[in-house]
Amino acid sequence: MTDTTRKGFWKHPIIYFLFLLIGGTGAIMGDRWLQTQLGNNVNPNGETASQVGSPDRTDMGIPETRSQPRVNAPNWFNNSFNPSPDQTSNFIVEAVDKVGPAVVRINASRRVSRDRFENSLPRDFFNPPRGMRPPGDRFEEGTGSGFILSPDGHILTNSHVVEGTDTVQVILKDGRRYDGRVLGTDSVTDVAVIKIDATDLPIVTIGNSETLSPGEWAIAIGNPLGLDNSVTVGIISATGRSSTDVGVPDKRIGFIQTDAAINPGNSGGPLLNAKGEVIGMNTAIISGAQGLGFAIPINHAQQIAQQLITSGRAEHAYLGIEMVTLTERFRQELQNTQGLPFAIPDTDGVLIVNVVSGSPADLAGLQAGDVILNLDQQTIKTSERVQQIVQSKTVGSILQIEVNRNGSSRILQVKTGNLPSQTTG
């Protein structure tokens, strides 16, 4: 027999069949032996040895441990795995259950001229057959959110949701509908109050926005994109964001920043903490940004709301200065500026670059070139801090202000006035 024949003899049909027969018999016998061993290793509690058919663990230098009860993996295909009752509820669910009934949908409409209406829609829409053209005026409709402050129907929302509207409809979570009337709006803070004629309404619990810290839970409820009673969750990302930071320099708010998703339609809805307390009113998103939303601190919003309920208008403390935080970069820019009416100060603080004629600051003797060092007995480092202190005061408050003027310290008394209409400073 040649070497080639010897190498391929196992491919003979009879030899190949014998191999298969022997292998199959061995597999059956091995399976029966394994089942016997498993049966011998089951204890009275239904537990099995952790190392079936393996060498004794103590022989390998590993301390022997008592075998643990077998844990059955969840069978996702027949839904045999169900969470325990305590896993079906959490603080978010509890917060939403607590506040949800007091969150409302606001449908508002404004009358707009035909020209404005035509410019907002495709031209083909306004060229229907003769006799079917639209009448002169149209209504612009929008949807926002709000939340109930009192059982007799005072509702807090954003000014931009209802400002200039002809009709306002309020829809509760349980489906009840009411016609609302706007008691007042304040475009400076974007706060408005609506009143509906009802009693025994569910109300929200108000928290404290002054004690917020980045990293705390934040829960937003509202009607984004027309999707009623939507809930999103995130954290407080920052506090005290200036209106300039947010891109709305005409507002006077230190915003709460959150990464809880806020979309059009969320405006006016509540921002909650983990206890289900309202800490802010959702108001703004930055165009093109992802994961950034802003809310008006509830302490400030509630202060404005009370004025609107009482008198229909809000007042804002006002000094009448234009200012900027002094930095090394800004000093260099000033050095390159020709014709400055004041010397470039060599100190930290907030530089007054202009004083409005006839304003409280002007009457108190403040001048362009003064550097604010201290206001209301608080050291001043940024212009945002000056804004925060002033807007926290009522009109007519007396503020003590320390300034550096040409290297000398001066202390002046300023009586705040009321922010004039169309004034942003």
Side-chain angles (χ1 to χ4, degrees), residues 128-139:
R130 184 180 298 274
M132 296 180 61
R133 299 194 176 186
D137 289 342
R138 285 296 192 221
F139 284 92

Side-chain angles (χ1 to χ4, degrees), residues 109-155:
S109 63
R110 300 176 178 87
R111 185 184 298 274
V112 295
S113 67
R114 177 177 176 179
D115 290 340
R116 178 181 170 188
F117 189 73
E118 288 188 11
N119 291 335
S120 65
L121 292 174
R123 173 60 54 185
D124 290 346
F125 181 82
F126 290 97
N127 288 297
R130 184 180 298 274
M132 296 180 61
R133 299 194 176 186
D137 289 342
R138 285 296 192 221
F139 284 92
E140 182 181 76
E141 297 183 347
T143 298
S145 305
F147 50 95
I148 306 173
L149 294 177
S150 65
D152 61 346
H154 288 103
I155 298 171

Side-chain angles (χ1 to χ4, degrees), residues 205-222:
T205 300
I206 301 296
N208 185 3
S209 55
E210 294 296 324
T211 60
L212 296 178
S213 298
E216 292 185 34
W217 287 103
I219 306 167
I221 307 180

Side-chain angles (χ1 to χ4, degrees), residues 319-348:
L319 293 183
I321 60 174
E322 295 178 21
M323 55 189 171
V324 65
T325 302
L326 272 177
T327 62
E328 189 59 35
R329 178 180 177 181
F330 188 71
R331 283 194 187 91
Q332 293 176 359
E333 292 179 359
L334 288 177
Q335 290 174 352
N336 297 326
T337 302
Q338 301 294 325
L340 282 177
F342 51 83
I344 300 173
D346 188 19
T347 183
D348 293 332

